[in-house]
Structure formats: C-alpha cells, structure tokens
Amino acid sequence: MANQITFYTHPQSRGCIVRWMLEELGVSYKTNVLEYGEPLKAPDYLALNPMGKVPSLVHDQRVVTEAAAICVYLAHVFPDTGLSPQDDDERARYYRWMFFSAGPMESVVVNKTIFGEQAAEDKQQIQGYGNYQLVLNALSEAIMSYPYIAGDRFTAADVYIGTQLMWRVAIWDYRKA
C-alpha cells in the first residue's frame, strides 16, 4: 500500500513531536507503542533503530529516526500540506531553527536539567551551545522577529520547536514541584 506509515513511539518520549506532525499532515498512520526496556532492544526493532530508542517511522519501507529528521522528512514527502519551506529565504530560517532546536537548544536544556549548572566560561566553546543565556537570547530574538519560527506561516519547524518548548516548561515545572 503506497504511503503506508508506521510510527513507533512511547507516550513519554519525543514521539509526541512526531505525533503532532502526523496530525498536522492529516495522513493516516499506524502507531506501535513500545514499552521502554526489552521491546526497544528486540532484534526486529534494533533493525529499524540500532540505538533502541523511539521515535522511529517507517514510510513506504524507508526508515527515519530522530524526531527532527522525521519532521523534515514528512514535510518534504507531503508537500501539499504546506509544512515544508516554500522559498529559499524561508528554507534557510526553517533549517536553522529546526536544527538549532534539535541541537543547541535540546543540549543546553538537558544539561541544565541533569547537571543544574553550566560549564566554566573557558569550557563553553566545547559545548555546541555556549551557555543557557546565549541559547535563550537567540531563540527569543527569533520568536520576536516573525509570526512563526521560519517566517510568516506555520511549518514543521513550528511543530518541532513548539513541542520542545512545551517539554522544557513541563520539565522545569516538574522539577520545581
């Protein structure tokens, strides 16, 4: 069956990003919810994702892992949804902020959540993000510059970065409780 999509996830994973993306696309898909532990280490799943983590997506026998890559892929293969960039200016902002969120933004928040402090100033260039304030300033400027992260309309980058922001707020709220 053409355009068959199978989505592998767990409710408490970055799979929520992909689920939102799939819902924005309005396409049908099959969901396989995997428990953490042995199901993610089973040989048949490791053949899809050797890291044994979710989310993973299979579309027409093509395997895509990593939430940001899945969002970019889906926006590209379903162009009629309008979730992919439409011109080179928008494409530049789209890629920049999609991968900023998947790289520096996620790294700084995870490190801050786990370790609670940032590296000494002389060690910050080793980290791909510098420090928390640099990331926050860059993101704040981007959010204030356009109605949406990549320009004047909603794209897959908004799905990705929006979910990342919601997750960060939830993590910080949880830690404060």
Side-chain angles (χ1 to χ4, degrees):
M1 175 182 207
N3 282 331
Q4 183 175 353
I5 297 173
T6 305
F7 167 47
Y8 296 85
T9 190
H10 183 279
Q12 295 175 326
S13 75
R14 288 167 181 83
C16 65
I17 301 167
V18 175
R19 182 172 305 283
W20 182 6
M21 183 65 183
L22 288 163
E23 292 297 319
E24 287 292 336
L25 292 170
V27 298
S28 64
Y29 59 95
K30 176 184 173 190
T31 302
N32 285 345
V33 176
L34 300 175
E35 293 301 319
Y36 287 128
E38 284 202 33
L40 291 174
K41 304 306 179 198
D44 58 331
Y45 188 70
L46 289 174
L48 296 176
N49 189 334
M51 292 195 60
K53 63 184 194 120
V54 288
S56 293
L57 186 111
V58 179
H59 173 240
D60 291 341
Q61 301 180 356
R62 294 190 258 346
V63 178
V64 186
T65 63
E66 307 308 319
I70 293 169
C71 289
V72 168
Y73 171 82
L74 289 170
H76 177 76
V77 297
F78 294 99
D80 294 345
T81 63
L83 293 172
S84 60
Q86 301 298 307
D87 60 42
D88 288 342
D89 289 336
E90 187 178 67
R91 186 171 291 104
R93 290 188 301 272
Y94 172 87
Y95 286 131
R96 176 184 183 186
W97 295 109
M98 177 68 80
F99 295 104
F100 172 87
S101 180
M105 187 173 135
E106 182 164 341
S107 295
V108 74
V109 173
V110 168
N111 285 343
K112 187 173 177 65
T113 301
I114 293 171
F115 303 115
E117 59 187 54
Q118 46 188 20
E121 193 168 327
D122 64 330
K123 305 278 190 230
Q124 289 181 11
Q125 84 183 82
I126 295 170
Q127 301 169 153
Y129 53 80
N131 65 51
Y132 176 78
Q133 196 59 52
L134 286 171
V135 171
L136 188 61
N137 291 348
L139 182 60
S140 296
E141 186 177 315
I143 289 171
M144 292 186 300
S145 296
Y146 293 96
Y148 297 95
I149 198 69
D152 294 326
R153 61 188 196 81
F154 187 85
T155 67
D158 294 290
V159 171
Y160 191 83
I161 207 162
T163 309
Q164 292 281 2
L165 287 170
M166 288 186 292
W167 182 74
R168 286 352 170 229
V169 170
I171 289 291
W172 288 324
D173 286 348
Y174 174 77
R175 289 189 69 208
K176 290 177 187 176

